[in-house]
Amino acid sequence: MGRKSGPGAPESTEEEARTCCGCRFPLLLALLQLALGIAVTVLGFLMASISPSLLVRDTPFWAGIIVCVVAYLGLFMLCVSYQVDEKTCVQFSMKVLYFLLSTLGLVACTLAVAFAAHHCSLLAQFTCETYLDSCQCKLPSSEPLSRTFVYRDVADCTSVTSTFKLFLIIQMVLNLGCGLVCLLACFVMWKHRYQVFYVGLRALMASEGQQPKA
């Protein structure tokens, strides 16, 4: 028995598109990415201001910048006119780019957490002393790979052993949050893409008079 489409079918399709628009363009995820990305970026530059000799990996403002770019792309997707089943190339391209950049943001945040955790564990073992305008820190002599870490343009070692350590802990928390939000964004976009493909397949089989296999 064929299905009859009443006069209210187009209206129901439009209503469904409007209802699902919030799911397909995750506004909440983009806003979370933007807020966390800005926080990571600002804190990264603050950490860099403590000592110019810090490595880039220890001041992960780059992870925050990547997440901010992803968030801006997610917000810009709201400006693209919505078409059911992704009938526009612009809409499809932006969703694929958003998925790829969210994956990149996840990788960047994971690296930032790993670098911050490693540096924080080293700070817990350091023995530091002030020398001129720098702070020289060493690992315990029992360590086989004991080396000296020099933080230049530092007034005293307190800014390294306490302030910088606190910044590292905050960075780990913020980047962990960014990574989870990016992972959730990837899951939402992947799930939506799979559902669109599956519905399209069923519609095609129904139009040809076939029954989908279980």
Side-chain angles (χ1 to χ4, degrees):
M1 300 228 0
R3 291 182 296 178
K4 295 181 181 180
S5 58
E11 295 180 1
S12 63
T13 303
E14 283 186 20
E15 183 179 356
E16 182 182 356
R18 287 195 299 268
T19 303
C20 294
C21 185
C23 303
R24 293 183 169 108
F25 301 106
L27 177 61
L28 180 60
L29 293 178
L31 290 177
L32 284 174
Q33 286 175 332
L34 182 60
L36 291 172
I38 291 176
V40 170
T41 304
V42 172
L43 186 59
F45 283 115
L46 285 177
M47 294 169 67
S49 66
I50 293 179
S51 174
S53 62
L54 289 174
L55 300 176
V56 177
R57 69 180 184 184
D58 297 325
T59 56
F61 55 86
W62 38 271
I65 294 175
I66 293 175
V67 175
C68 285
V69 172
V70 178
Y72 283 128
L73 179 61
L75 294 175
F76 185 71
M77 282 197 301
L78 293 171
C79 303
V80 178
S81 59
Y82 178 75
Q83 296 290 334
V84 182
D85 294 339
E86 300 173 350
K87 292 181 179 179
T88 60
C89 291
V90 176
Q91 180 182 332
F92 175 75
S93 301
M94 291 185 65
K95 292 173 75 172
V96 171
L97 184 60
Y98 181 72
F99 175 81
L100 294 177
L101 288 179
S102 294
T103 305
L104 179 62
L106 173 61
V107 174
C109 291
T110 304
L111 289 176
V113 172
F115 289 145
H118 175 68
H119 202 146
C120 191
S121 65
L122 289 179
L123 283 177
Q125 307 175 39
F126 276 164
T127 301
C128 301
E129 60 180 9
T130 304
Y131 181 76
L132 297 178
D133 60 344
S134 64
C135 178
Q136 297 184 0
C137 300
K138 294 182 179 180
L139 289 171
S141 57
S142 59
E143 293 291 334
L145 298 177
S146 182
R147 49 178 287 202
T148 302
F149 296 83
V150 180
Y151 300 91
R152 296 183 177 86
D153 298 332
V154 177
D156 52 33
C157 292
T158 307
S159 59
V160 174
T161 56
S162 60
T163 306
F164 186 61
K165 185 177 181 180
L166 177 62
F167 282 171
L168 286 174
I169 295 175
I170 298 175
Q171 277 286 11
M172 284 190 288
V173 175
L174 291 177
N175 280 283
L176 182 61
C178 281
L180 291 177
V181 173
C182 289
L183 178 61
L184 183 59
C186 292
F187 173 75
V188 169
M189 301 304 290
W190 177 266
K191 182 180 179 182
H192 166 62
R193 180 61 189 158
Y194 173 78
Q195 287 178 341
V196 169
F197 173 76
Y198 183 70
V199 172
L201 179 62
R202 290 191 61 183
L204 178 62
M205 296 177 66
S207 64
E208 294 178 353
Q210 301 177 1
Q211 293 293 333
K213 298 181 180 180

